[in-house]
Amino acid sequence: MAASASRASPDFKLWNQLGAGKFEVLNLPLCKVLLNNDTTWPWLVLVPQQNDLVEMHDLSDVDQLQLMREMSACSRAVQSGWAPTKVNVGAIGCVCRQLHVHVLGRFEGDAVWPQPVWGATKAVPYPTDGVQRDADIAKFREEIGKFIVPC
């Protein structure tokens, strides 16, 4: 892959399947960061804002490094803000193939510990009044801001 500056594409389209049930937290240089609509875990989804990506190796070498930086910043934010036992990071993509990465905090003794969370429990959506959701989004923005390192 050619080396180029990490940039979101101006014509980026988030697949409806991936955006459904999530709330926008912020845009990083490469990724759109979304909050999963499940209060069970602190759970972010990072989506590189370039079209036609399925696998991490579809990114340029420079953008692969940027994705790692952004994944690390979000992982540190989850650790710092919620103090989970373990931060899980995964890019599975079998249900929705648009490249995306999950970053979520796991707590020893949670409903499915230590098994994977995907499909293991029914999501507990944020209340419709938006208070808890907005507070979590603000907290994620603050925490992520502590760990973004200019490159």
Side-chain angles (χ1 to χ4, degrees), residues 19-149:
K22 294 172 188 66
F23 307 101
E24 188 165 331
V25 176
L26 60 98
N27 288 319
L28 296 173
L30 179 63
C31 292
K32 178 178 288 297
V33 180
L34 305 170
L35 173 64
N36 201 37
N37 189 13
D38 186 350
T39 61
T40 310
W41 296 278
W43 190 337
L44 297 174
V45 178
L46 285 72
V47 186
Q49 295 177 90
Q50 296 176 6
N51 293 317
D52 303 319
L53 299 176
V54 176
E55 306 294 349
M56 286 187 201
H57 60 259
D58 293 336
L59 291 162
S60 71
D61 291 347
V62 169
D63 287 342
Q64 289 176 38
L65 294 172
Q66 183 63 28
L67 176 58
M68 182 59 75
R69 287 183 190 102
E70 293 178 11
M71 289 166 38
S72 293
C74 289
S75 296
R76 289 178 176 126
V78 169
Q79 188 69 54
S80 173
W82 284 263
T85 307
K86 177 75 175 80
V87 177
N88 289 173
V89 177
I92 301 168
C94 294
V95 174
C96 177
R97 291 189 325 186
Q98 184 174 31
L99 179 59
H100 62 286
V101 178
H102 297 266
V103 177
L104 64 139
R106 295 293 307 277
F107 301 89
E108 194 166 355
D110 69 30
V112 295
W113 179 269
Q115 302 304 313
V117 301
W118 286 269
T121 63
K122 185 174 176 156
V124 179
Y126 280 90
T128 56
D129 66 10
V131 174
Q132 181 183 356
R133 178 201 65 217
D134 292 349
D136 279 357
I137 288 172
K139 184 174 179 178
F140 271 119
R141 286 178 180 155
E142 179 182 344
E143 292 297 330
I144 292 168
K146 294 176 185 177
F147 299 104
I148 291 298
V149 178

